[in-house]
Amino acid sequence: MKTIKYIWELLLRAARFAAMLWARRRQFNKWMAKRYTPRFLALIGTGVCLVVAVIALFVGPCLGMANDSIGNQKMLEYGLSYREVDRGEDPEQFASNEYFTRVYERTRTGEPIHTSQNLIVNAAMALDSVFTNDNFFDVRFLAAIYLMLYLPGVYLVLRAGLERVQYFSEAVVMAVAGVLIFSDISYLVFFNSLYNDPIILICLLYIAGGSMGLHTEKPAQMGLQLVITAAGLMLCLLEKRFFLAGLLTAVLLVAHTRVFSGPSRIVAGGLAAILIGASVFSFYWCGESFDDVSKVHSITRGVLLDSQTPDKTLEDMGIDASYSLLADQSLYDYYPPAEISNPALQEGFLDRYTAADVALHYMKHPDSLVFMWNNAVRSALRLRRDYCGNYERSAGMPAMGKSVFWSAWSMFKERSLPSTIGYVLLLIIVFTAMSGRKVFNRRAVQRWDYIYFVTMLVITCIGMADITAVICRSGDAQLVQFSMTLGVVLDLVLYDVIAEILHKLNILEGKHEET
């Protein structure tokens, strides 16, 4: 009871102190106006992200993401295998998704697919060899490289949000929000894994942060354009489905030319052309994570999932109606309805449609697409996979155990944010209402409002285009594995919407003029 009473007294004192600061915020903001800069506060926020990441990834018990089928495939591509100690007492009962694997054994020469991820993984392996010179690969070397790339991206995003607000109290809110959102454990655990999700996060941070940083004329303006282009190239060459992200990043660079002048406009056009070429190259060169099983699911766990008349739906696509028995079925089930090698699936079903046919079906039936989008948003708000553990076997935690360290934001998202496509529409409506009128003013374009609007619009399109491609290729069966893009996009848009709302509320109160 004494402990509870002591904690209660501390909470009351903190509440009184916060109330005092709130009552005197105007005087405090005025006093702090010349004692801080957005750059300095962004650096502090980035430093906090660094501390959180180091504790989560490198201080025992180290946290990571256990391997599912995608992780196991990556492991084989890079010539890695599990050590005997990680297989447990009974190797026959070993399940790779139960515990995070920190150290792999190098058993052979890998045969990775064409992807930009190879550059980073090979660099991590080389770094491991320099320091250890053994026959093992510690995935923490990969996490260290990801962390070095991640921190500047976080800084760009934080600085852009902090530069929009004017008062110190608002800046503190934005800094705290940025740290909680972008250093959440649901992002960091992927650093200690072979998944490509960290690259998606890092590239989107650079694209959004670099673009938002162009809201004012800066000496480093051309440098930010190069940053956006490099991130766009890395993202579009990650997998075939990301060629759309490369094209949309090129659109973003072209959109910037409206507020550029002189050499910057020419450079933006040239960089956009490079991205378009890389996107075409990605479509024909890069590998992908979808196979015939995914193709089956694009119908059984996609087209037929919300169909009231599955027989007619299949007939409209030129497929025999008897396959309607597969509606809502998954080949990932413990007792699947059929094996992918079954001739009945190969001939008469898989050979009757393509991803383009599935996309055409959704265009003709937008209600089905909205249903699938709802599932996609729900998955994007739950980035940590329920069936994959975050701890090593040696940590003594239950199988598939999840860490709650620094997970406030992910827990809030899962429990409180609307998990439907309506949430995305709400964000679009808000950022359009905030800046749309000034963006489409032909006489005078407000640079901040224009950059803010086109960045939010293109980033949202990247997220929606990617998840729609996933739906057309695999239905909802692999949404949990490929929701990182939409998840990061929703957090980026929300963060910048919060900054804009704080700014506009001060305008409404007449505290300062619009900048």
Side-chain angles (χ1 to χ4, degrees):
M1 291 299 296
K2 291 183 178 180
T3 303
I4 296 176
K5 185 177 180 180
Y6 177 71
I7 294 174
W8 178 251
E9 289 178 355
L10 286 178
L11 291 174
L12 287 177
R13 291 178 183 177
R16 284 194 291 266
F17 180 71
M20 180 194 70
L21 289 179
W22 178 255
R24 301 180 180 178
R25 65 188 185 280
R26 291 191 180 182
Q27 295 91 327
F28 183 63
N29 285 332
K30 186 176 181 181
W31 183 76
M32 286 296 298
K34 296 182 179 180
R35 290 174 171 80
Y36 92 100
T37 62
R39 178 184 299 179
F40 178 70
L41 208 52
L43 281 173
I44 293 177
T46 305
V48 175
C49 290
L50 172 61
V51 172
V52 172
V54 168
I55 293 173
L57 302 175
F58 304 106
V59 177
C62 300
L63 302 177
M65 183 63 73
N67 290 333
D68 62 7
S69 59
I70 299 294
N72 286 328
Q73 181 61 37
K74 291 286 185 184
M75 182 187 71
L76 295 175
E77 289 171 8
Y78 293 113
L80 304 173
S81 62
Y82 296 108
R83 299 178 302 169
E84 298 237 349
V85 67
D86 292 320
R87 292 180 177 271
E89 297 179 358
D90 187 358
E92 293 184 1
Q93 300 297 320
F94 172 69
S96 63
N97 64 300
E98 292 182 347
Y99 293 100
F100 148 60
T101 301
R102 179 173 59 85
V103 179
Y104 295 92
E105 186 175 357
R106 302 189 193 190
T107 55
R108 57 186 173 78
T109 302
E111 297 180 1
I113 62 173
H114 294 156
T115 169
S116 57
Q117 185 184 14
N118 295 344
L119 296 173
I120 299 178
V121 175
N122 289 333
M125 288 184 172
L127 192 63
D128 185 313
S129 298
V130 169
F131 282 93
T132 63
N133 194 27
D134 55 21
N135 198 39
F136 299 97
F137 172 59
D138 192 327
V139 77
R140 289 180 297 179
F141 285 98
L142 181 59
I145 294 178
Y146 283 143
L147 185 58
M148 287 187 292
L149 295 172
Y150 154 85
L151 292 173
V154 169
Y155 171 77
L156 288 175
V157 171
L158 292 182
R159 182 176 174 180
L162 291 168
E163 285 179 341
R164 182 51 170 166
V165 296
Q166 180 165 328
Y167 298 116
F168 179 73
S169 57
E170 299 169 345
V172 170
V173 170
M174 291 306 302
V176 172
V179 170
L180 289 176
I181 292 173
F182 300 113
S183 66
D184 189 87
I185 198 66
S186 61
Y187 289 135
L188 295 181
V189 287
F190 283 99
F191 286 26
N192 264 339
S193 75
L194 297 174
Y195 299 105
N196 61 18
D197 298 75
I199 300 177
I200 298 172
L201 167 65
I202 292 165
C203 290
L204 289 173
L205 288 175
Y206 278 114
I207 293 171
S211 180
M212 293 293 287
L214 295 170
H215 65 88
T216 57
E217 192 80 27
K218 293 179 179 177
Q221 181 170 281
M222 202 168 294
L224 289 175
Q225 290 177 304
L226 292 173
V227 166
I228 296 169
T229 304
L233 288 171
M234 194 73 181
L235 184 59
C236 80
L237 295 175
L238 192 58
E239 277 190 35
K240 181 181 292 187
R241 80 177 198 267
F242 287 111
F243 84 95
L244 291 171
L247 292 175
L248 288 167
T249 306
V251 170
L252 180 62
L253 287 171
V254 171
H256 288 159
T257 59
R258 189 180 181 189
V259 294
F260 287 166
S261 60
S264 294
R265 179 173 291 187
I266 299 173
V267 169
L271 295 176
I274 292 173
L275 273 171
I276 293 172
S279 299
V280 175
F281 180 72
S282 170
F283 185 79
Y284 290 102
W285 179 77
C286 286
E288 57 182 349
S289 301
F290 302 111
D291 53 19
D292 282 347
V293 174
S294 305
K295 188 176 180 180
V296 170
H297 290 153
S298 69
I299 297 293
T300 64
R301 296 294 306 173
V303 170
L304 299 182
L305 196 60
D306 189 47
S307 176
Q308 302 300 317
T309 56
D311 295 354
K312 186 177 183 305
T313 300
L314 289 176
E315 289 175 351
D316 290 343
M317 296 185 68
I319 303 173
D320 192 283
S322 62
Y323 287 99
S324 63
L325 294 173
L326 295 174
D328 199 23
Q329 298 294 313
S330 172
L331 300 189
Y332 295 143
D333 292 339
Y334 192 78
Y335 295 107
E339 296 294 334
I340 191 61
S341 57
N342 192 320
L345 284 179
Q346 296 293 330
E347 299 176 8
F349 187 70
L350 287 173
D351 59 346
R352 296 300 177 90
Y353 66 95
T354 64
D357 297 320
V358 176
L360 183 61
H361 168 81
Y362 285 124
M363 291 176 65
K364 293 179 179 178
H365 303 83
D367 55 327
S368 296
L369 182 58
V370 169
F371 174 80
M372 296 301 294
W373 276 344
N374 286 335
N375 292 339
V377 173
R378 189 177 304 113
S379 181
L381 295 177
R382 299 178 61 91
L383 292 178
R384 278 200 293 177
R385 298 162 191 181
D386 292 335
Y387 57 87
C388 289
N390 295 150
Y391 293 96
E392 293 181 84
R393 186 180 296 274
S394 59
M397 301 297 288
M400 296 184 287
K402 304 293 184 299
S403 172
V404 296
F405 171 71
W406 209 259
S407 60
W409 176 245
S410 54
M411 292 173 66
F412 172 77
K413 286 196 299 183
E414 293 174 10
R415 300 176 184 181
S416 302
L417 291 182
S419 55
T420 66
I421 191 62
Y423 175 52
V424 181
L425 292 176
L426 177 62
L427 291 176
I428 294 173
I429 291 170
V430 172
F431 73 67
T432 302
M434 290 285 183
S435 302
R437 179 176 57 85
K438 294 167 185 176
V439 169
F440 299 109
N441 187 339
R442 294 183 179 180
R443 296 182 179 178
V445 177
Q446 294 285 343
R447 180 160 177 152
W448 168 270
D449 292 286
Y450 178 77
I451 291 294
Y452 167 79
F453 177 79
V454 297
T455 302
M456 294 298 98
L457 183 61
V458 170
I459 287 293
T460 304
C461 288
I462 288 176
M464 293 306 299
D466 179 67
I467 207 65
T468 303
V470 172
I471 290 170
C472 291
R473 298 300 302 275
S474 64
D476 74 345
Q478 291 179 272
L479 283 179
V480 68
Q481 294 175 317
F482 301 125
S483 293
M484 178 61 76
T485 307
L486 183 59
V488 177
V489 163
L490 293 178
D491 283 348
L492 283 169
V493 174
L494 178 63
Y495 179 73
D496 286 307
V497 163
I498 292 173
E500 193 67 10
I501 288 175
L502 289 175
H503 180 75
K504 298 292 184 183
L505 284 176
N506 280 326
I507 292 174
L508 293 175
E509 294 176 13
K511 293 179 182 177
H512 63 78
E513 296 180 357
E514 185 175 353
T515 57

